[in-house]
Amino acid sequence: MSTHINAKDGEIAKNVLLPGDPLRAKFIAENFLENAKCYNEVRGMFGFTGKYRGIDVSVQGTGMGQPSLSIYATELFKFYGVQNAIRIGTCGAVNESTKLRDTIIVNAACSDSAILTQRFGNLHFAPTATFSLVKKADEIAQKMDIRYKVGSVASSDLFYDKNENWKKWAEYGVLGIEMESAELFTLAAEFKRNALAIMTVSDHILNGEQTSAQERQTSFKDMMHLALETIFEINS
């Protein structure tokens, strides 16, 4: 039985977008989905289900960090039978080739999280997105003519990282730092489901550029549109 999602059977679609910010979930429901209905308000973590181009789609806030996302993604996979989950969030760029407001289609996620250590001990698991979703999103992004990259991110447990671990990730080609994708990919592997993450670069760690909180909540529409189109295509 789900503890953190107060939805009845059938109220959550098999295809779910997962923004960290519950207000971004609300924005997507109000601006992209038809006949969207709220199925969850527990702890202020909004969840909605509506239709996008005739396809049932849900959007569920997950909060910040892998422990918080882990709760919602586990319950969605385990109790509600979600098959396709796409995280839509923000990241901080860590190389010169990635620009503010770029879209990143994430194919893999490094991590420093103890969550992976608790699961695998001394083993090293590689959290990766579902290739078919990466491929489809890449095809759609080309048609949309948006500025995007395909590559890896690092899911860190620390937002204020005094050790500047991002520098080591950057040496190995990581495009951005965020806080959730590795856990989503790992849970999708465990439950045999499909997962993808699509990021918008909200700030640039190298040069200090950043967007406002309002921009992060409502203006990163390319990744929202791309995620929804990806869901439409894989269900058509």
Side-chain angles (χ1 to χ4, degrees):
M1 180 178 179
S2 176
T3 302
H4 301 84
I5 300 175
N6 187 26
K8 299 176 182 177
D9 289 344
E11 288 188 327
I12 299 179
K14 303 303 181 185
N15 309 286
V16 179
L17 302 188
L18 300 174
D21 185 351
L23 292 180
R24 187 181 297 134
K26 186 172 185 289
F27 178 84
I28 293 168
E30 292 175 346
N31 291 274
F32 288 90
L33 302 183
E34 296 179 2
N35 302 317
K37 295 182 179 179
C38 182
Y39 62 76
N40 190 67
E41 294 182 349
V42 178
R43 295 177 178 262
M45 204 58 65
F46 296 123
F48 300 86
T49 297
K51 287 187 179 294
Y52 179 79
R53 298 181 65 185
I55 304 295
D56 290 333
V57 178
S58 294
V59 53
Q60 173 65 56
T62 66
M64 290 187 289
Q66 294 184 80
S68 184
L69 176 134
S70 186
I71 291 170
Y72 293 97
T74 296
E75 294 186 6
L76 289 168
F77 290 146
K78 186 174 183 178
F79 301 117
Y80 295 100
V82 168
Q83 299 298 310
N84 304 299
I86 301 181
R87 165 163 157 67
I88 45 172
T90 58
C91 68
V94 292
N95 62 62
E96 295 291 354
S97 67
T98 308
K99 307 300 182 184
L100 203 67
R101 298 182 181 84
D102 276 1
T103 298
I104 298 175
I105 299 170
V106 180
N107 59 11
C110 311
S111 184
D112 58 15
S113 180
I115 289 180
L116 288 175
T117 305
Q118 288 186 56
R119 282 198 184 95
F120 300 104
N122 292 328
L123 302 177
H124 295 278
F125 179 74
T128 55
T130 303
F131 177 73
S132 59
L133 295 185
V134 175
K135 184 173 183 291
K136 183 60 65 177
D138 178 54
E139 293 171 355
I140 295 169
Q142 291 182 48
K143 294 176 183 177
M144 290 173 62
D145 195 28
I146 63 175
R147 199 174 66 200
Y148 79 101
K149 296 179 179 296
V150 178
S152 64
V153 297
S155 302
S156 177
D157 279 351
L158 287 174
F159 185 86
Y160 298 107
D161 180 10
K162 294 182 180 179
N163 295 323
E164 296 187 321
N165 291 330
W166 62 268
K167 291 182 178 179
K168 179 59 68 176
W169 297 124
E171 285 180 30
Y172 287 80
V174 166
L175 298 179
I177 309 297
E178 51 93 67
M179 302 184 74
E180 290 86 21
S181 297
E183 178 65 0
L184 175 61
F185 296 164
T186 302
L187 287 170
E190 178 184 350
F191 286 97
K192 308 297 187 295
R193 308 299 166 82
N194 301 313
L196 177 65
I198 301 175
M199 306 276 102
T200 300
V201 176
S202 60
D203 57 283
H204 209 298
I205 296 174
L206 289 179
N207 59 31
E209 292 181 325
Q210 58 183 323
T211 57
S212 69
Q214 183 66 23
E215 284 180 288
R216 292 192 294 273
Q217 182 178 310
T218 63
S219 71
F220 296 158
K221 295 180 180 179
D222 282 347
M223 70 173 175
M224 302 174 191
H225 189 199
L226 177 56
L228 288 164
E229 284 294 311
T230 300
I231 285 176
F232 174 78
E233 288 290 337
I234 64 174
N235 283 276
S236 298

